[in-house]
Amino acid sequence: MITLYKKTINGLSAAMGWLCGIGTLVMGLILFYEVVRRYFFNSPTIWTQEVSVYIFMWCMFGGASYALQRGKHVNIDLLTVKLSPKAQSKLKVITSFFGALFCSEIAVQGWNMIESAVKYQKHSPTPLHVPLWIPQSALFLGFTLLALQFVVLIIEEIAFIRSGERDSVQEVNH
């Protein structure tokens, strides 16, 4: 069951990482299109900035779990590098626990925002009139997946503390 959980969450995080890469490319192309329209044809668009911001939100929140999975989040290790590998793992378990709690709370608040946006039919105050639950879903889904990825990290670190060995996939990510 734990193996299935880890594979599922790692797979979802990897998929989000891939989608965020595509999203970043699309965002770049949209902004390039806007620059061409604005500076060469003196004909700016009304949609590119808003759509780019929404794509950026999805990429930022969606990509966070992939960054955690790959060990790419900002890490201040001035003191922790002096600890033994097992002590480092114990510290990762503690910090990941609090990270999961924090992300869970943000996800709950994101869900509340979505509920409110749907209930009151909130839309962006722009000509696109985008239902706000769509960009707000990035917060909920991104932080939910990030919390679940923290749980995967906790499971992996506890396994290392108990056995003293890391599996080959985990070795690459740490």
Side-chain angles (χ1 to χ4, degrees), residues 1 3 14 29 48-49 56 67-69 74-75 79 83 94 99 107 114 123 125 130 135 139 144 147 150 154 164 170:
M1 188 67 150
T3 303
L29 293 172
T48 54
Q49 182 179 0
F56 178 75
L68 179 63
Q69 177 193 39
V74 174
N75 188 12
L79 298 175
L83 300 173
I94 294 166
I114 292 168
H123 291 79
V130 173
L139 182 73
T144 297
F150 269 120
I154 291 168
Q170 189 181 355

Side-chain angles (χ1 to χ4, degrees), residues 145-161:
L145 190 53
L146 185 56
L148 296 172
Q149 192 65 54
F150 269 120
V151 174
V152 169
L153 185 58
I154 291 168
I155 292 167
E156 290 173 345
E157 294 303 326
I158 289 173
F160 173 71
I161 292 166

Side-chain angles (χ1 to χ4, degrees), residues 1 6 10 31 55 65 68 92-93 102:
M1 188 67 150
K6 285 173 45 177
N10 284 334
L31 293 172
I55 292 172
S65 64
L68 179 63
K92 282 182 190 176
V93 168
F102 174 79

Side-chain angles (χ1 to χ4, degrees), residues 5 68 95-112 139-151 154:
Y5 173 81
L68 179 63
T95 57
S96 294
F97 173 77
F98 286 110
L101 283 178
F102 174 79
C103 292
S104 297
E105 177 60 26
I106 299 297
V108 167
Q109 295 304 317
W111 180 257
N112 292 339
L139 182 73
F140 169 71
L141 293 173
F143 274 92
T144 297
L145 190 53
L146 185 56
L148 296 172
Q149 192 65 54
F150 269 120
V151 174
I154 291 168

Side-chain angles (χ1 to χ4, degrees), residues 25-46:
L25 175 64
V26 169
M27 184 177 60
L29 293 172
I30 288 171
L31 293 172
F32 176 74
Y33 173 76
E34 173 65 14
V35 168
V36 170
R37 289 277 310 255
R38 183 179 300 260
Y39 291 104
F40 293 109
F41 299 106
N42 198 25
S43 178
T45 63
I46 62 169

